[in-house]
Amino acid sequence: MSRIEQLIDEIEEYIDSCKYQPLSTTKILVNKEELEELLVELRLRIPDEIKQYQKIISNQEAILSEARSQADTMVAEATAQTNELVNEHEIMQRAYANANEIVNQANIQAQSIVDKAVEDANNIRQGSIQYTDDMLRSLQTIINHTMEGAKGRFDAFLSSMQSSYDIVSSNRNELAGGIVQNPPVNDGRPAE
């Protein structure tokens, strides 16, 4: 488990351990400094891991460069051998054959190195994409879990409030039957 995953778990545990605000089942009290420390460390870790993957991918160019260099060296050696053997026809024929064989082997080896480097680079790229997707899926799960928890607490609060409202309405209705309306008192003045 990477340090980023550990930090995400710590943030989720911290949120779950926070106390609710008085008279609320949805809002929590958070120690700002503690949460900010976890978030700062999370921000610092993400670039480090991305740099590691970029460094791995950048090695692809070094591998390709080395393969090209080896191929060039082999071709240069073959050419040098060919030039030394040019003096005699029979020696020249063997030199051409030998040089061609070396060039072919160099090309095969260079192509093999290039193919391996491309395959490694593709695997690293896929691994980076998969890692990023895993991190996003983990974050999505945390957000979804938090939203579901908040919705459950809100629904419970709303149900409690509706129950209290129903009781108050019922009590008022019962009281309304017992209220006697007094007729208006005539204070001796003529009605207007």
Side-chain angles (χ1 to χ4, degrees):
M1 177 183 284
S2 73
R3 180 61 184 144
I4 291 177
E5 291 170 309
Q6 290 174 348
L7 284 169
I8 290 171
D9 287 346
E10 287 176 25
I11 290 170
E12 186 175 17
E13 289 172 10
Y14 176 73
I15 289 172
D16 287 342
S17 70
C18 289
K19 294 181 180 180
Y20 289 104
Q21 283 186 347
L23 304 176
S24 175
T25 59
T26 58
K27 295 182 180 178
I28 57 174
L29 297 173
V30 176
N31 181 329
K32 182 179 177 184
E33 291 179 5
E34 190 172 340
L35 187 58
E36 283 179 342
E37 286 176 13
L38 291 170
L39 291 173
V40 165
E41 186 174 354
L42 182 62
R43 282 190 189 101
L44 291 175
R45 290 290 178 165
I46 288 174
D48 288 342
E49 292 197 12
I50 289 173
K51 286 178 188 173
Q52 287 176 350
Y53 292 120
Q54 288 173 338
K55 184 177 179 182
I56 291 169
I57 290 171
S58 70
N59 284 341
Q60 171 188 355
E61 285 302 316
I63 293 169
L64 292 173
S65 176
E66 183 178 337
R68 288 185 190 108
S69 175
Q70 286 180 1
D72 290 343
T73 301
M74 290 179 177
V75 169
E77 288 174 2
T79 302
Q81 286 180 2
T82 301
N83 290 336
E84 290 175 7
L85 300 175
V86 167
N87 293 334
E88 295 183 27
H89 181 67
E90 183 180 332
I91 294 174
M92 191 168 66
Q93 292 299 322
R94 281 188 278 155
Y96 279 125
N98 191 15
N100 286 334
E101 183 178 334
I102 289 172
V103 168
N104 286 337
Q105 288 176 355
N107 286 333
I108 290 169
Q109 186 177 0
Q111 188 60 47
S112 173
I113 291 170
V114 168
D115 291 345
K116 177 72 172 129
V118 168
E119 180 183 339
D120 289 346
N122 287 336
N123 289 340
I124 290 167
R125 184 175 61 81
Q126 286 298 319
S128 297
I129 290 170
Q130 183 63 48
Y131 175 80
T132 303
D133 184 57
D134 290 345
M135 290 294 102
L136 290 174
R137 184 182 332 103
S138 176
L139 184 58
Q140 187 178 24
T141 301
I142 291 169
I143 291 170
N144 188 40
H145 173 72
T146 303
M147 285 171 37
E148 287 175 359
K151 183 183 181 305
R153 290 187 293 271
F154 178 77
D155 288 345
F157 173 73
L158 193 58
S159 175
S160 173
M161 291 299 291
Q162 184 64 48
S163 175
S164 296
Y165 179 82
D166 292 342
I167 290 170
V168 169
S169 293
S170 173
N171 288 342
R172 284 195 69 218
N173 287 338
E174 286 179 21
L175 289 174
I179 295 176
V180 176
Q181 295 289 334
N182 292 329
V185 177
N186 189 348
D187 56 1
R189 287 187 278 173
E192 297 178 11

